[in-house]
Amino acid sequence: MSFYNYIHWQDYYREFWQPSYSKIIEIKDKDSPIENKEKCLKDFVTFFYTTCKLIKYYLENNGLFFKNYKRSIMAAFNIGLIEDGDTWAEIFALITRDSTKSSKMQEVLDFCLGDNFYIFNDLNNKFVKLLESYE
């Protein structure tokens, strides 16, 4: 990997993932029902892929290289970066297969922004602790 392609996960976390995470938290915590489901789903899909990139960059910075996000998620589970591998796999499948189908939009949003959102909170907490240990 060339020096120019090397992205420190810490920078990516601060500059890209945290703002995306904050935006999704705002959407998730609104008291009113989601008005524009397509935009919300697009925002969540963007957030999910930003999360996958963060995981991939973290693994690369630790000497583990994978060509796709699915394998990166599996490796993150294997090293203990993420804990609920089944939920991650389900969300990955929903995002990559079903998210563009209008009939599945509400199901995807309910699953991802509902009770299963804790996986992103857990990941955030892990990265906060990792950042503290690097500083």
Side-chain angles (χ1 to χ4, degrees), residues 80-127:
L81 182 63
I82 60 176
E83 294 179 14
D84 189 344
D86 291 337
T87 301
W88 278 93
E90 284 185 63
I91 290 177
F92 185 84
L94 280 171
I95 294 298
T96 56
R97 290 186 217 142
D98 295 334
S99 66
T100 57
K101 297 176 186 173
S102 60
S103 62
K104 293 281 190 175
M105 217 175 281
Q106 188 62 49
E107 179 185 341
V108 172
L109 289 172
D110 289 346
F111 187 83
C112 297
L113 297 177
D115 293 339
N116 296 302
F117 193 78
Y118 74 92
I119 65 171
F120 301 106
N121 294 329
D122 290 350
L123 185 66
N124 181 56
N125 293 337
K126 287 232 176 153
F127 278 115

Side-chain angles (χ1 to χ4, degrees), residues 40-57:
C40 181
L41 186 60
K42 182 181 174 192
D43 289 343
F44 183 79
V45 169
T46 300
F47 167 69
F48 183 76
Y49 284 119
T50 302
T51 302
C52 290
K53 284 181 185 178
L54 174 63
I55 289 169
K56 187 176 184 295
Y57 294 148

Side-chain angles (χ1 to χ4, degrees):
M1 175 184 285
S2 80
F3 174 76
Y4 297 105
N5 291 334
Y6 189 75
I7 298 175
H8 291 282
W9 69 265
Q10 299 95 326
D11 296 332
Y12 191 82
Y13 173 82
R14 288 184 190 109
E15 294 174 27
F16 298 100
W17 194 82
Q18 270 188 328
S20 185
Y21 176 67
S22 296
K23 183 177 183 178
I24 293 300
I25 292 288
E26 280 180 37
I27 292 169
K28 181 184 173 324
D29 290 345
K30 280 187 179 177
D31 290 334
S32 59
I34 297 169
E35 293 173 15
N36 187 343
K37 290 181 180 143
E38 280 185 46
K39 182 179 180 335
C40 181
L41 186 60
K42 182 181 174 192
D43 289 343
F44 183 79
V45 169
T46 300
F47 167 69
F48 183 76
Y49 284 119
T50 302
T51 302
C52 290
K53 284 181 185 178
L54 174 63
I55 289 169
K56 187 176 184 295
Y57 294 148
Y58 175 81
L59 294 171
E60 287 174 357
N61 281 207
N62 287 284
L64 301 169
F65 298 90
F66 300 95
K67 291 185 179 187
N68 64 46
Y69 295 141
K70 185 176 183 179
R71 292 188 190 273
S72 294
I73 290 171
M74 290 168 44
F77 175 73
N78 289 335
I79 66 166
L81 182 63
I82 60 176
E83 294 179 14
D84 189 344
D86 291 337
T87 301
W88 278 93
E90 284 185 63
I91 290 177
F92 185 84
L94 280 171
I95 294 298
T96 56
R97 290 186 217 142
D98 295 334
S99 66
T100 57
K101 297 176 186 173
S102 60
S103 62
K104 293 281 190 175
M105 217 175 281
Q106 188 62 49
E107 179 185 341
V108 172
L109 289 172
D110 289 346
F111 187 83
C112 297
L113 297 177
D115 293 339
N116 296 302
F117 193 78
Y118 74 92
I119 65 171
F120 301 106
N121 294 329
D122 290 350
L123 185 66
N124 181 56
N125 293 337
K126 287 232 176 153
F127 278 115
V128 166
K129 287 179 185 172
L130 285 166
L131 280 172
E132 289 171 357
S133 70
Y134 278 84
E135 295 172 349

